[in-house]
Every structure is written in structure tokens, then in C-alpha cells.
Amino acid sequence: MNEMEKIARENHRNGNNCSASLAMAFAEKLGVTPEEAKKSVPAPRSIDGKCGGYLSVVAMLEKLGVDKAGEYEKMFLEKNGSLYCKELITSRAGTGRTCNDIVGEAAAMLDELMKNS
């Protein structure tokens, strides 16, 4: 587990939603405070019911000028099977996977995309 994944998961465990947890973890890379980062990303389900872990990373890639949203979407879908919060919750029933897992994995994917850009 990389450092960004640990931070994002901890933010989520501390009561922040998935989208905010990711943004707060990457605040320094975005050049803003964690509170500013939290307010700079879409809320979970705010765009067509999509997962906050997906929406947040797409918004941060855009803010960072990293043209890899399509690549991220493909990675996210390969890992989770859907972009939609409701479907993700339903599909993981009985699997032991939680929103915190999605948050951590999204952080690791964003970190990887940023290093490869």
C-alpha cells in the first residue's frame, strides 16, 4: 500500500466522503490546503450517480493538467466493473469490499497516473 493510498483511506475512516478523502490526500500536489481540496471536487453521486472515487480523480487529473481521464476510467472499470455508486454497492455485497477499498485503490491509481505523465 503506497503512502497516498494510506492517507486517502485514513481520511475516509475519519468520516470524510470518498470524493473529499481523495482530494484531501492529494491537496499538496494540487497546491491547495486539504479544506480547499475537499471543496474543489464533485460530491459523490453528484454527476449521474457516479462514484465519488471516480469523480474526484477525474476532477484532479483535469486540475493537474494530466490528460489521462480515459485511462483512469478504463482502470477503474477493470477493477470495479461500474462507475455508478449504487451498482458498486450492490455488486460488492458479501465480498468484504468496502467504499474504503475503492478510495484506497483510486488513490493508488491516481498516484500511478501522475508518475507516468
Side-chain angles (χ1 to χ4, degrees), residues 26-78:
F26 287 87
E28 188 175 319
K29 293 181 190 300
L30 293 166
V32 297
T33 68
E35 279 306 308
E36 290 168 330
K38 188 176 182 175
K39 295 173 185 171
S40 73
V41 293
R45 298 178 300 284
S46 65
I47 301 174
D48 301 327
K50 290 180 181 167
C51 171
Y54 170 76
L55 295 174
S56 183
V57 170
V58 170
M60 287 189 283
L61 285 167
E62 189 175 298
K63 288 176 193 324
L64 293 164
V66 177
D67 187 20
K68 296 207 174 179
E71 190 175 336
Y72 175 65
E73 183 171 314
K74 184 179 176 190
M75 293 166 75
F76 191 93
L77 283 168
E78 284 175 3

Side-chain angles (χ1 to χ4, degrees), residues 3 11 14 16 25 36 46 52 54 57 63 68 86 97 115:
E3 191 62 26
N11 290 339
N14 287 336
N16 293 287
E36 290 168 330
S46 65
Y54 170 76
V57 170
K63 288 176 193 324
K68 296 207 174 179
K86 185 177 180 179
R97 281 181 52 79
K115 286 177 183 169

Side-chain angles (χ1 to χ4, degrees), residues 91-106:
S91 70
R92 71 167 185 249
T95 66
R97 281 181 52 79
T98 66
C99 287
N100 193 267
D101 294 319
I102 292 173
V103 166
E105 292 159 0

